[in-house]
Amino acid sequence: MSDDWLVDDPFADPGDPAAREREERRREREEKRRQRAGKQAEAEAKAAPPPPPPVEPTPPPAEPPRPTEPAPPTEPPLPPRTPEEEFWDEEPEPLESPQAPPPPEPARVVTNGGSKPPRQTPGALAAIARHPFLIFAVIAGLFVLWGLNSLFQPFHGDGSGTVQVAIPKGSSVSEVGDLLSEKGVIDNSTLFQVRVTLAGKRSEIYSGNFTLANDMSYGDAIDELSQPPVKRTLAVTIPEGLTRSQAAQLVEEVGVPGDYTTATIKSKYLDPADYGGKGAKDLEGFLFPNTFELKPKAPVEDLVELQLKDFKQKIKTVDMRYAKSKNLTVFDVVTIASMIEEEAGVDSQRDLVAAVIYNRLRDGMPLGIDATIRFATGNYTEPLTESELAIDSPYNSRTNAGLPPGPIANPGLASIEAAAHPAKTDHLFYVTTPGACGKLTFAETEAEFEKAVEEYNSAREAAGGNSPDSCEE
């Protein structure tokens, strides 16, 4: 039971010490309670935001007034405590609460109801206008791309055709670039020089003769010029069946320096006497026909050396046993081969022509080969005259039996093989077959031969006196 009833009890003894002590204690608790309530109110007042300043009256604004945020509600007052709770309330005084930071300012509400237009994001043109350096950056970038494309030419082709370019010894890179530009090999000398510098090959450009192309890329041209130039050679082709004099004209036309006729009289690389030609006056028959590669300024003696060495290699491959059985030397075989080369119009009849020669030699008959008379007279294009057919020369095979003194041309390997291995026939004659593309008609008897001659002469008269050996489709 609470003792508070003694406070207002009119019958309580005011002089009772216990009653006075309880009254004082009650008043102290009441005072503490009021102090705590005051401090709490003061702390709440400090924590609350300051009230907004008063707004002066203005004319009606163009835009509605912005709403203000209402003040936060205050906490309800504590309920009164009963005397029994106050009597037994001996809890210590609370510590003073630290001042709380002010709350953040509420976001402003923006509306589009006023006179100001809504804010827009700037476009590309507006950004460039505010930043003019962007224009220069774009232009510079395009210029750089153009320069790189012109310099490195990633989509350039391989060029076309061929251009012979001679780079003089000691030429500078700029001189090389100017020369290539003049020849149409590259587009721009300056860009070529820059490209060479970037490639680190300014000291690697060779002098000499180069085969380049029209409209090459700088990189391809540099690759070609930074490799040692291929030394050019002079190709000389000597066909089968040419005489020394005919070959001399060809060699002179090709541009080989020197006198071919003089160089083919004799040579340290071959002596006809070693092959049975003790009375040979020159190297006719031993100048093997082929294609030879010479240095650009090689003398004619080098060509002759190659021809003679080629003959010595090729003659080793020919089986001479049958010819030797007929008492023929290699020199004789080469002489027979030179006549076969002139007489046989097709390859398949070489051994047949050889058989006629062998059979006539066997029977002691003159060979009657007009090619020997052409060799003696030098007439290789016009029909032989009666005086030429009767020329007094050891090479006139119509008036002299046996072989001529030596070869009448320089035969190839096929004719040498045929001369060493004639066909096994009894043919003693042959005549050009009219309109048969150079084929020959062979005969064993003189009657067969005369008949073939009549056919030939009739065709010749029909051709206006020309040789009727053209081909008929």
Side-chain angles (χ1 to χ4, degrees):
M1 179 180 295
S2 175
D3 294 335
D4 289 343
W5 64 275
L6 297 174
V7 175
D8 296 326
D9 187 1
F11 299 102
D13 186 1
D16 186 358
R20 290 193 298 271
E21 183 177 354
R22 285 194 299 272
E23 179 65 18
E24 290 177 0
R25 290 175 59 188
R26 186 188 68 77
R27 292 176 180 176
E28 290 177 359
R29 286 195 299 270
E30 185 68 25
E31 182 64 25
K32 290 180 179 180
R33 184 167 176 262
R34 285 195 299 270
Q35 291 178 358
R36 285 198 302 271
K39 291 180 179 181
Q40 185 176 358
E42 183 180 354
E44 292 176 355
K46 291 181 179 181
V55 180
E56 297 181 0
T58 57
E63 62 181 23
R66 299 172 182 172
T68 57
E69 189 174 329
T74 57
E75 297 183 2
L78 297 175
R81 301 174 62 86
T82 62
E84 185 176 358
E85 290 176 341
E86 293 178 357
F87 177 79
W88 299 104
D89 188 7
E90 298 293 344
E91 61 185 34
E93 297 182 3
L95 297 176
E96 184 176 356
S97 301
Q99 184 175 359
E105 183 179 355
R108 298 175 61 187
V109 179
V110 180
T111 62
N112 196 26
S115 60
K116 293 183 179 180
R119 188 174 182 180
Q120 299 180 354
T121 303
L125 295 178
I128 293 176
R130 288 197 300 272
H131 303 284
F133 71 91
L134 291 177
I135 300 175
F136 298 103
V138 171
I139 294 175
L142 294 175
F143 181 79
V144 170
L145 291 177
W146 174 83
L148 292 176
N149 180 73
S150 300
L151 188 60
F152 292 95
Q153 300 173 307
F155 306 107
H156 201 284
D158 297 331
S160 61
T162 58
V163 180
Q164 300 297 329
V165 179
I167 306 297
K169 189 175 182 179
S171 298
S172 64
V173 175
S174 61
E175 292 172 341
V176 173
D178 293 341
L179 178 60
L180 296 180
S181 179
E182 292 174 2
K183 293 282 188 178
V185 176
I186 59 173
D187 294 332
N188 188 284
S189 175
T190 302
L191 292 179
F192 172 80
Q193 298 174 49
V194 175
R195 189 72 171 80
V196 173
T197 303
L198 293 177
K201 294 186 177 182
R202 292 187 68 89
S203 60
E204 299 180 16
I205 302 299
Y206 284 86
S207 60
N209 299 311
F210 294 87
T211 300
L212 304 176
N214 289 295
D215 193 25
M216 295 181 70
S217 68
Y218 301 122
D220 290 344
I222 293 170
D223 290 340
E224 291 289 337
L225 297 178
S226 59
Q227 299 293 329
V230 178
K231 294 182 178 180
R232 291 189 303 168
T233 58
L234 181 63
V236 181
T237 300
I238 307 295
E240 293 90 344
L242 293 187
T243 64
R244 287 172 54 242
S245 59
Q246 290 172 330
Q249 296 177 3
L250 185 149
V251 171
E252 183 179 359
E253 292 174 359
V254 172
V256 180
D259 188 344
Y260 185 83
T261 303
T262 302
T264 55
I265 294 177
K266 63 180 180 179
S267 173
K268 64 180 180 180
Y269 297 104
L270 186 145
D271 186 357
D274 296 338
Y275 298 92
K278 294 181 180 180
K281 297 180 180 180
D282 49 48
L283 298 173
E284 192 79 74
F286 296 92
L287 301 167
F288 198 80
N290 209 334
T291 298
F292 304 95
E293 298 289 337
L294 300 175
K295 295 180 180 179
K297 296 182 180 180
V300 73
E301 287 78 10
D302 290 358
L303 173 61
V304 174
E305 176 186 348
L306 293 175
Q307 287 185 277
L308 297 177
K309 288 182 177 180
D310 204 10
F311 172 85
K312 294 172 71 173
Q313 292 177 351
K314 296 295 192 301
I315 202 66
K316 292 179 181 179
T317 65
V318 181
D319 186 358
M320 294 288 179
R321 288 179 295 179
Y322 182 81
K324 288 180 179 180
S325 69
K326 303 301 180 182
N327 296 321
L328 298 175
T329 65
V330 174
F331 186 78
D332 295 333
V333 171
V334 173
T335 301
I336 295 173
S338 68
M339 292 186 286
I340 294 173
E341 196 73 65
E342 297 298 317
E343 293 292 299
V346 293
D347 292 343
S348 62
Q349 293 185 337
R350 292 178 192 273
D351 60 343
L352 295 175
V353 174
V356 171
I357 295 174
Y358 268 75
N359 292 338
R360 282 179 168 260
L361 290 175
R362 179 196 62 197
D363 295 346
M365 298 174 61
L367 297 180
I369 295 177
D370 290 346
T372 61
I373 299 176
R374 290 186 180 281
F375 178 78
T377 61
N379 180 7
Y380 292 98
T381 57
E382 300 297 329
L384 293 171
T385 64
E386 292 295 333
S387 61
E388 289 175 332
L389 292 174
I391 188 174
D392 184 12
S393 169
Y395 284 94
N396 189 338
S397 60
R398 289 195 176 203
T399 59
N400 298 287
L403 293 173
I408 62 171
N410 293 281
L413 185 60
S415 293
I416 296 175
E417 292 278 4
H421 304 281
K424 303 298 182 181
T425 69
D426 293 330
H427 296 149
L428 293 173
F429 307 93
Y430 60 81
V431 178
T432 300
T433 304
C437 303
K439 289 184 178 181
L440 302 173
T441 299
F442 292 87
E444 294 182 8
T445 66
E446 189 169 351
E448 293 174 346
F449 171 67
E450 292 295 338
K451 182 181 179 180
V453 170
E454 289 180 4
E455 293 178 356
Y456 175 81
N457 288 333
S458 297
R460 183 174 181 179
E461 289 179 4
N466 297 318
S467 178
D469 58 354
S470 60
C471 297
E472 290 182 357
E473 298 296 340

